[in-house]
Amino acid sequence: EKSMEPSHDHIEKTLDKLVASTRSPRGRYSASESWKLLERRLVPPRTKRLRLFRLAGAGAASVLLCFASWFIYDYWKPVAMQTVSAGAAISVITLPDQTKVTLNRYSSLTYPDRFKEDRREVQLQGEAYFEVAKNAQIPFVVTTSAGIDVKVLGTKFNVASYENDEQVTTTLAEGSVEVGDEKGSVRLKPEEQALFCKGDRSL
C-alpha cells in the first residue's frame, strides 16, 4: 500500500520554491537591506533611557508644582472665623489645636476654624480660662478689645477683659505668659497677676 504522506524530498523541494518565490529580484527586501531598514527604525537604547528620564522628570516636576500650589493656596486663603458667646451658663470650647477654653458667663471668644502655621490667635471679650496645647514653634495669642495681648506657648491662665471694667486682669496658674502691648510687656510666673489700666494704659 502506498503511503499518503509526502516524502522528505518533496517537502524540501516545496520549501525551496516558497523561499525562491519570496525573494525580490531587485534585492529590495533581502535580509541585508531589511536589517538596515530595521536599524533605522529602532530607537537606540540610550535615547530611550533619556526619553524615559525626561518623562519621569517632567512628571515629578508636575507633582511638585501641584503640591506647592496647594500649600500656597492653603496658606493665603482666608480663614473662616467663628464666635462662641456664653449666655447665663459657662461654656467649654475646644479649639482646633486642642486648646481648652472655659468661657465665663456673658463672654465671647472669636477664633478661626484652623490656625495658621506661624500663629494661633483668638479674640476675647469678657473672661476665659485657657489651657493651651503646648507648641513651642507656634505661639498662642489672646487679643482683647483694650489693645493688650497675652502671648503663650503652652500654659494655664485666666484673662478678664470686660468692656465696662477699667482693668484687664491676667492671672497665671501654670507655665509662663507675656502680657503687654506695643509699648512694652511683662512676663508672669505661676501665681502672679498682671493688671492693665485702660485709662492711662499702664501695666
Side-chain angles (χ1 to χ4, degrees):
E1 186 177 338
K2 196 171 180 180
S3 174
M4 295 298 292
E5 292 183 5
S7 66
H8 183 70
D9 291 338
H10 178 70
I11 292 173
E12 283 191 350
K13 286 178 183 178
T14 305
L15 288 172
D16 286 339
K17 285 181 183 179
L18 286 170
V19 171
S21 69
T22 57
R23 288 179 185 156
S24 171
R26 297 181 183 177
R28 188 176 173 190
Y29 296 106
S30 64
S32 59
E33 292 299 320
S34 297
W35 178 250
K36 289 177 183 177
L37 183 64
L38 187 61
E39 276 188 323
R40 284 197 299 271
R41 289 183 179 178
L42 285 173
V43 180
R46 186 177 177 186
T47 307
K48 277 186 178 179
R49 283 196 297 268
L50 286 173
R51 199 171 288 172
L52 285 172
F53 284 139
R54 285 174 186 166
L55 288 172
S62 299
V63 171
L64 286 173
L65 184 62
C66 289
F67 274 114
S69 301
W70 184 85
F71 279 119
I72 291 170
Y73 169 75
D74 186 62
Y75 183 80
W76 289 107
K77 74 176 181 181
V79 178
M81 302 296 289
Q82 49 192 322
T83 301
V84 176
S85 298
I90 293 173
S91 296
V92 178
I93 309 161
T94 301
L95 300 183
D97 66 339
Q98 301 307 307
T99 290
K100 185 179 176 182
V101 183
T102 304
L103 199 59
N104 204 355
R105 296 175 180 86
Y106 308 110
S107 300
S108 65
L109 184 75
T110 302
Y111 61 94
D113 60 356
R114 62 182 179 85
F115 289 117
K116 295 286 189 179
E117 293 183 356
D118 59 344
R119 191 175 178 89
R120 298 177 288 169
E121 184 172 326
V122 299
Q123 292 87 43
L124 174 68
Q125 286 189 346
E127 183 176 8
Y129 178 73
F130 295 84
E131 296 179 40
V132 179
K134 292 183 180 179
N135 189 330
Q137 283 71 44
I138 307 176
F140 188 94
V141 181
V142 180
T143 64
T144 66
S145 57
I148 188 169
D149 297 341
V150 181
K151 299 179 183 179
V152 301
L153 296 176
T155 189
K156 297 177 182 180
F157 63 98
N158 191 85
V159 178
S161 178
Y162 290 101
E163 197 70 37
N164 297 325
D165 286 355
E166 291 299 319
Q167 293 180 327
V168 177
T169 306
T170 304
T171 308
L172 181 62
E174 182 181 301
S176 176
V177 298
E178 187 177 289
V179 183
D181 58 9
E182 65 277 357
K183 293 181 179 179
S185 62
V186 296
R187 187 176 292 269
L188 298 183
K189 295 177 182 177
E191 298 184 14
E192 287 186 341
Q193 187 178 76
L195 299 177
F196 176 78
C197 298
K198 295 179 184 179
D200 57 3
R201 301 195 65 79
S202 63
L203 187 62

